[in-house]
Amino acid sequence: MLKMMPLDMSWFLLESKVVPVHGAFLYVFTPPEGAAPDYARRLLRAMKRRAVGAPFNLRPQWKLGTLPHWEEVDVDLSQHVFDSRLPSPGTNAQLLAAAAELAGPSLSWDKPLWRLHWIEGLEGGRFAFLFVAHHSQWDGISIFRLMGEMMSDSPQAKTYKAPWQGLSTWVKQVAVSHEHTEAPEMLSSVGKAAKLVKKSVGVAAELGKVFLQQGLQATGGRHIALPLSAPETRPERNGSSARTYGLAKIAVERIKALAKATDTTFNDVMTAVVDAAYARYLEELGMEVTKPMIAMVPMAIKIAGAGNQLSGALVPLGKPGAQPLERLATVKAAMGSAKAEIGSLDAAGAKLFAMINMGFAAAPDLIRVGERLPVTANMMISNPYGMPTTLYLNGSHLDYFVPFMGPSLGTRLMYGIYTYAENTYVSITSLQSVVADMARLSELVQMSFDELEQAASALSAKASKRATPARKRSPKRSAT
């Protein structure tokens, strides 16, 4: 029996028809040169002959008398893998529209929490698949790990894995659970209880220090992110729940150069950029925001294991009307403070800290009053590490991939920032009632980056000019 971690368990408590907690990931491929017209169809048939591994063969189990856990079951691929074909001409716009629709339905809890849609009929003979997964088992880092395990960085490599063959961290975790089941009981029930109480007291003490520090900062006049304190940014509180999607692309080297020039990090730069873009979008709508917006920012915990290896913090962003470099400096300080708070906790404390923040953000939605109360966070900004190299699946070039994340946990806007090969992509998900013109918000992300880059360049040029000493004039010689 594989126990379910508290953070993984919490996603089930947060889920509803209004607030689904699954995500979807679209991968688009170009077949190798000279591939037969039925190449993609034959590849899918070959994949279906592969065995199913963890977590693709695990379903949640809730039984009286036992703690929630993951149960291994036999998997019927016909209930999880579906194929479809786009109508001609099979454009990118058609693909994204189809993927958005396929990503919508929630996953059933009575079987393993995933499905895969295989899509053919794209222009140029390309094909794609959409992987839909539940957040109780997957975070951004594990999605990128799966990509690395099922694909290769060589176009010549003909070895590959079907996505459902399993993820290494989950497979190891299941193997360990089998060993523990077969091993003799080493601790008495009393001993286990005492150990749990001792650990819980330690975690509570750590969290108490963090929240006390936040309280002292707030009473000292420093702006920090408190629950239900984010400014109102919803044009309609009771609008449509239909999702909208957008995508922006920026070269990785430009972001790295900007981070180096401003003595900030990659994450600082992109957080400031998406904050500025949304602030500009609201300004164009005529909405007045009088205080900094708040972002829910997941942060990785460096611990071994499967499932979610994340904590998260509420981070105050730039002041309304802030100039690009001023906004970046504010974000750098806020992100540094959040990282320090989480870094002061052990793994259990860091996960519990995230659960408390997520709970505050999601509670209004859970009791169906989310549209009538202030929000805890205006947006979620997720920035997993990405893939620095080009990938291939059985020789097929991975052209790009797009996350379709849900605007859940009390937030109505989700930014997924990820890197693939030479580009960084900003995947944006929201509700129709919050961001109706997603094309415009996508444009503003690009514009905000350009403006920050120009501001940093101007400041550097000004500093360089001040540092260059003026040439001394040679004294004039008197005529003789």
Side-chain angles (χ1 to χ4, degrees):
M1 181 177 72
L2 179 61
K3 65 180 180 180
M4 193 180 295
M5 296 293 102
L7 181 57
D8 303 340
M9 197 186 312
S10 68
W11 292 99
F12 293 100
L13 303 176
L14 297 172
E15 185 166 24
S16 70
K17 290 183 178 179
V18 178
V19 187
V21 296
H22 67 275
F25 306 86
L26 177 69
Y27 302 89
V28 184
F29 299 89
T30 295
E33 189 175 351
D38 64 343
Y39 168 86
R41 180 55 46 130
R42 289 189 291 108
L43 179 59
L44 176 60
R45 280 201 300 266
M47 282 185 170
K48 285 183 175 180
R49 292 194 287 269
R50 303 293 176 93
V52 180
F56 299 92
N57 61 349
L58 302 177
R59 71 177 177 188
Q61 190 61 256
W62 319 85
K63 287 183 178 179
L64 291 175
T66 64
L67 291 173
H69 60 276
W70 299 109
E71 178 186 36
E72 290 183 76
V73 296
D74 293 330
V75 175
D76 179 358
L77 286 180
S78 67
Q79 296 183 23
H80 293 269
V81 181
F82 309 93
D83 58 276
S84 59
R85 189 175 189 87
L86 293 180
S88 180
T91 63
N92 280 332
Q94 286 177 287
L95 174 63
L96 293 176
E101 184 175 349
L102 293 170
S106 299
L107 294 161
S108 172
W109 293 5
D110 61 1
K111 56 187 176 184
L113 299 167
W114 67 279
R115 67 174 180 268
L116 186 140
H117 297 275
W118 190 266
I119 307 170
E120 299 178 30
L122 281 67
E123 285 180 318
R126 295 178 303 154
F127 65 97
F129 68 77
L130 181 77
F131 172 48
V132 184
H134 199 273
H135 225 318
S136 63
Q137 294 180 324
W138 297 89
D139 56 29
I141 292 175
S142 58
I143 287 293
F144 281 102
R145 184 178 290 121
L146 177 67
M147 289 173 61
E149 292 183 6
M150 73 178 181
M151 301 183 211
S152 168
D153 59 4
S154 170
Q156 280 75 45
K158 298 302 179 183
T159 56
Y160 61 90
K161 288 176 61 178
W164 51 81
Q165 282 184 254
L167 183 66
S168 59
T169 49
W170 273 99
V171 171
K172 290 175 184 176
Q173 201 85 342
V174 169
V176 169
S177 73
H178 289 170
E179 293 172 5
H180 287 180
T181 300
E182 296 168 1
E185 190 68 42
M186 300 300 293
L187 293 172
S188 67
S189 298
V190 174
K192 285 183 178 180
K195 187 176 180 180
L196 179 61
V197 169
K198 182 178 179 181
K199 185 174 182 179
S200 299
V201 169
V203 169
E206 288 182 351
L207 285 173
K209 291 178 184 177
V210 170
F211 289 120
L212 176 61
Q213 183 181 17
Q214 288 186 337
L216 292 173
Q217 290 171 349
T219 56
R222 180 178 168 187
H223 178 70
I224 63 169
L226 296 174
L228 303 176
S229 67
E232 183 57 67
T233 55
R234 295 169 290 185
E236 300 177 57
R237 287 204 174 197
N238 295 294
S240 168
S241 61
R243 296 184 186 184
T244 54
Y245 299 95
L247 189 67
K249 182 174 72 173
I250 303 169
V252 171
E253 290 307 316
R254 290 179 67 190
I255 303 172
K256 288 182 176 179
L258 183 51
K260 183 177 180 180
T262 55
D263 190 28
T264 57
T265 68
F266 191 102
N267 286 3
D268 293 338
V269 168
M270 293 310 298
T271 300
V273 165
V274 298
D275 175 33
Y278 192 37
R280 178 81 66 85
Y281 181 84
L282 294 172
E283 182 182 340
E284 292 181 357
L285 287 181
M287 291 191 66
E288 184 180 7
V289 179
T290 59
K291 58 182 179 179
M293 290 187 285
I294 306 296
M296 174 82 76
V297 181
M299 296 182 180
I301 308 171
K302 295 182 179 179
I303 56 174
N308 289 276
Q309 305 302 326
L310 290 175
S311 182
L314 297 173
V315 178
L317 302 173
K319 295 179 181 178
Q323 295 300 305
L325 292 176
E326 179 190 0
R327 186 182 299 275
L328 177 59
T330 300
V331 166
K332 176 184 178 181
M335 292 285 279
S337 177
K339 290 174 184 175
E341 288 172 352
I342 291 176
S344 68
L345 303 170
D346 67 8
K351 285 192 172 187
L352 185 56
F353 183 67
M355 288 175 64
I356 292 172
N357 284 329
M358 287 161 51
F360 274 118
D365 281 336
L366 288 176
I367 58 177
R368 305 297 185 267
V369 295
E371 305 303 337
R372 295 195 292 273
L373 291 179
V375 294
T376 292
N378 303 98
M379 65 192 80
M380 180 179 285
I381 304 175
S382 177
N383 193 347
Y385 58 84
M387 276 288 173
T389 58
T390 301
L391 294 178
Y392 300 85
L393 178 67
N394 191 42
S396 296
H397 180 272
L398 175 61
D399 300 336
Y400 65 91
F401 60 96
V402 182
F404 288 81
M405 305 303 295
S408 57
L409 300 176
T411 63
R412 298 293 184 268
L413 173 63
M414 168 77 182
Y415 285 109
I417 303 170
Y418 63 96
T419 295
Y420 173 55
E422 299 176 351
N423 292 302
T424 292
Y425 296 85
V426 182
S427 175
I428 317 171
T429 308
S430 188
L431 301 181
Q432 184 74 34
S433 55
V434 176
V435 181
D437 191 351
M438 187 59 79
R440 179 56 180 164
L441 182 56
S442 301
E443 290 174 0
L444 289 172
V445 169
Q446 182 65 62
M447 287 175 56
S448 297
F449 180 84
D450 293 343
E451 289 173 358
L452 180 57
E453 190 177 49
Q454 290 163 11
S457 179
L459 183 65
S460 177
K462 191 175 181 180
S464 178
K465 188 175 181 180
R466 283 199 305 264
T468 303
R471 287 187 178 182
K472 292 183 179 180
R473 288 188 174 184
S474 300
K476 291 183 177 181
R477 294 184 180 180
S478 58
T480 55

